[in-house]
Amino acid sequence: MKKISFCIITNGKRPRELDLCVKSIHRNFVNSEDYEILIVGDNIPNIKSSKVKIVEDYEFQKFLGARKNIGTKNATGDVLVHCDDDIIFPN
């Protein structure tokens, strides 16, 4: 199975939604080791998971495209999925 990198772009203003987004990814891949979650943005709440990599961006990179590029450069998967922090993946 190919490894999937989920790149979540956030500004840290919706911690509840971000938490739900991360949990929905975990639910869908509960029996798989072939995924990672990258969270790119600033003011990111602490999320305790071995699958989550937080990429803080305090610079002037406030634009969505720049943050997507940062996530792309840090991803290690074969497939890259970009999403906002308010996306809930269905089971």
Side-chain angles (χ1 to χ4, degrees):
M1 178 181 235
K2 294 187 181 220
K3 183 176 180 181
I4 300 174
S5 296
F6 291 91
C7 179
I8 304 171
I9 309 299
T10 186
N11 61 8
K13 294 181 181 176
R14 298 186 290 203
R16 180 180 173 277
E17 287 83 352
L18 177 60
D19 185 57
L20 291 173
C21 178
V22 170
K23 286 178 180 175
S24 74
I25 294 170
H26 284 315
R27 264 195 318 273
N28 282 286
F29 290 89
V30 70
N31 294 322
S32 174
E33 292 294 319
D34 295 332
Y35 75 100
E36 68 177 345
I37 301 170
L38 296 110
I39 302 174
V40 182
D42 54 3
N43 301 315
I44 300 171
N46 190 16
I47 297 178
K48 294 181 181 7
S49 170
S50 62
K51 291 292 187 180
V52 173
K53 178 180 178 185
I54 294 176
V55 183
E56 295 279 359
D57 177 32
Y58 291 112
E59 300 292 320
F60 57 90
Q61 307 288 342
K62 304 293 184 192
F63 299 103
L64 180 62
R67 288 192 170 169
K68 283 184 177 181
N69 289 340
I70 291 169
T72 300
K73 288 177 185 174
N74 285 276
T76 61
D78 302 305
V79 177
L80 180 61
V81 177
H82 285 284
C83 65
D84 290 332
D85 57 5
D86 61 348
I87 298 296
I88 304 296
F89 291 91
N91 293 341

